[in-house]
Amino acid sequence: MSKKRESGLPPSYTAEAGLVPNISNGMPKDEDECQVSQKLAVLQEESLKPIKEDLAEWIAKTLGKMGKALEIDITPDTFLDILDNGVYLCQLAKLIQRKAEECVADGSYTEPLPQVKLRCKNNAASGSWFARDNAANFLHWCKAFGMADDQMFETEYLVSHTGEKSVLMCILELARIGYKFGLDPPNLIRMEKEIEKEEEVPVIEQPKPTSLDAEVNLSPSPPPLGDLDPPLDLDAEVRRIAFKCKCHDHVKKLGEGKYLIFGRVVQIRFLKNRHLMVRVGGGWDTLENYLVHHTPVEVFEHRRPATGDPKDIGNKYLYFKSKYKSHAQVANGH
């Protein structure tokens, strides 16, 4: 069975990944629009790599503690290849369930646990019906342990590699459940808990937003990439990426790790001193991807003549154009 990959740029894109095929209402898109779609697709894929890296390390470390039989070599490049038969996800769920039962036994957790038995075919081949059954059983367990529908993925997303982002978000939520029962969390969850503790401290006076230039005493021109290898200064790296996306005027520092971006307060942290991550709702995004997808836009209405329709009721569609860069600039990487 051939698998659809989210790596690369196949001729057609999945709606779940936020991409669109090269047609609109049966008509080809403009070349600039196609280039922008491809550019955004690559950027979105790049934004998932830090999350895959963190979760791959967590999965290997967590399952490795269960014995040699579950030691796995998983990397961001092999992430779905290793997990797509559902076996290791089921093993993670079983480990968390055992931890939960231990917490109930020692009195550290007093709420009743769901009565669910997780069945798993340990020799399921990738792409097989057994793999789909394992994935379905895993998702049933997740729901029993309180995971919301929008935090889970469709079975086919995992088995056929067509919804990597949904799979990653589900595993992040799985790690949060494990953390509740004493399991060591991945770095992203650790950062979440640190942010939550910081937000519990009452703020006496809300600091005024300051521009990156004024706060960090940096010149208007962005620093060369070599100066930030490895990046150690959060403000300097935020500023570099903001200049790269041509929206530095809309990024203001509020406090340590807290910024005002396009009028919204966000928390930004380094992941392993390499990746700049933005806390977004219940998940994480890279700063560059966040800036590109939240840049204010201008909206233009266009009409296509529709056969048989009155002239004043055309086939309308909306065309979004970046306020800070043209489509050609985006496609060319400027």
Side-chain angles (χ1 to χ4, degrees):
M1 176 179 179
S2 62
K3 297 177 182 177
K4 297 179 182 178
R5 307 278 181 182
E6 286 195 7
S7 58
L9 294 169
S12 60
Y13 309 121
T14 64
E16 188 277 336
L19 310 180
V20 291
N22 188 22
I23 57 173
S24 177
N25 294 329
M27 298 184 67
K29 282 190 172 184
D30 293 337
E31 184 177 349
D32 281 349
E33 288 184 75
C34 297
Q35 289 179 347
V36 171
S37 295
Q38 292 179 4
K39 188 74 175 180
L40 293 177
V42 172
L43 185 59
Q44 180 169 332
E45 185 175 337
E46 289 294 321
S47 74
L48 297 179
K49 286 184 179 179
I51 302 175
K52 281 193 290 184
E53 181 182 322
D54 190 38
L55 290 180
E57 182 180 289
W58 175 73
I59 292 170
K61 181 180 177 182
T62 302
L63 292 180
K65 292 180 179 179
M66 297 177 66
K68 280 196 171 184
L70 285 175
E71 287 183 354
I72 59 173
D73 182 16
I74 181 172
T75 68
D77 293 331
T78 63
F79 196 83
L80 288 184
D81 293 317
I82 297 295
L83 300 180
D84 63 4
N85 65 355
V87 174
Y88 290 119
L89 293 181
C90 288
Q91 294 299 337
L92 282 168
K94 288 180 179 180
L95 173 60
I96 292 172
Q97 185 161 347
R98 285 200 295 272
K99 286 282 188 180
E101 291 168 353
E102 291 172 6
C103 289
V104 170
D106 64 23
S108 59
Y109 189 79
T110 56
E111 296 181 19
L113 293 177
Q115 300 298 313
V116 55
K117 186 174 182 180
L118 180 54
R119 294 182 175 85
C120 179
K121 188 77 170 179
N122 290 327
N123 61 349
S126 295
S128 66
W129 289 111
F130 290 118
R132 288 172 171 81
D133 193 49
N134 284 347
N137 291 339
F138 166 74
L139 293 169
H140 175 72
W141 181 94
C142 289
K143 189 164 188 176
F145 269 75
M147 199 177 294
D149 290 341
D150 60 1
Q151 295 170 326
M152 296 186 287
F153 55 85
E154 298 289 339
T155 300
E156 203 63 27
Y157 288 177
L158 175 68
V159 177
S160 297
H161 299 203
T162 53
E164 188 173 56
K165 183 177 179 180
S166 291
V167 174
L168 291 172
M169 296 305 103
C170 181
I171 298 175
L172 266 177
E173 188 61 27
L174 180 71
R176 293 186 187 102
I177 296 174
Y179 178 78
K180 182 171 66 174
F181 297 115
L183 202 64
D184 287 339
N187 291 307
L188 287 171
I189 305 301
R190 200 183 307 276
M191 292 192 301
E192 287 177 9
K193 300 307 174 183
E194 291 172 357
I195 291 173
E196 289 173 5
K197 287 182 180 178
E198 291 174 6
E199 292 177 343
E200 289 174 359
V201 178
V203 179
I204 299 176
E205 183 178 351
Q206 183 70 22
K208 293 181 179 180
T210 56
S211 68
L212 295 179
D213 293 339
E215 177 66 24
V216 195
N217 290 323
L218 297 174
S219 60
S221 58
L225 294 177
D227 290 354
L228 297 169
D229 186 22
L232 298 174
D233 189 304
L234 180 67
D235 294 326
E237 183 67 357
V238 167
R239 173 181 164 273
R240 182 184 72 83
I241 294 178
F243 268 96
K244 179 181 177 182
C245 297
K246 295 181 173 61
C247 54
H248 49 279
D249 290 338
H250 298 266
V251 180
K252 311 293 182 183
K253 182 178 178 181
L254 294 176
E256 191 62 34
K258 184 182 290 187
Y259 295 84
L260 185 70
I261 300 181
F262 304 128
R264 180 178 179 182
V265 178
V266 299
Q267 296 278 358
I268 301 177
R269 295 291 185 275
F270 267 129
L271 177 61
K272 294 189 173 181
N273 205 32
R274 292 197 303 274
H275 310 293
L276 246 145
M277 307 297 293
V278 182
R279 183 80 170 108
V280 183
W284 293 87
D285 196 0
T286 60
L287 177 58
E288 184 174 1
N289 194 56
Y290 181 85
L291 290 176
V292 168
H293 285 84
H294 288 78
T295 299
V297 295
E298 297 174 1
V299 182
F300 302 91
E301 180 181 289
H302 291 256
R303 295 171 180 262
R304 289 195 185 99
T307 304
D309 290 341
K311 291 184 178 180
D312 59 339
I313 309 178
N315 185 2
K316 299 181 181 179
Y317 67 95
L318 294 180
Y319 183 76
F320 293 81
K321 183 177 179 181
S322 171
K323 185 176 181 181
Y324 299 101
K325 60 188 83 174
S326 69
H327 288 294
Q329 287 173 322
V330 174
N332 293 330
H334 294 306

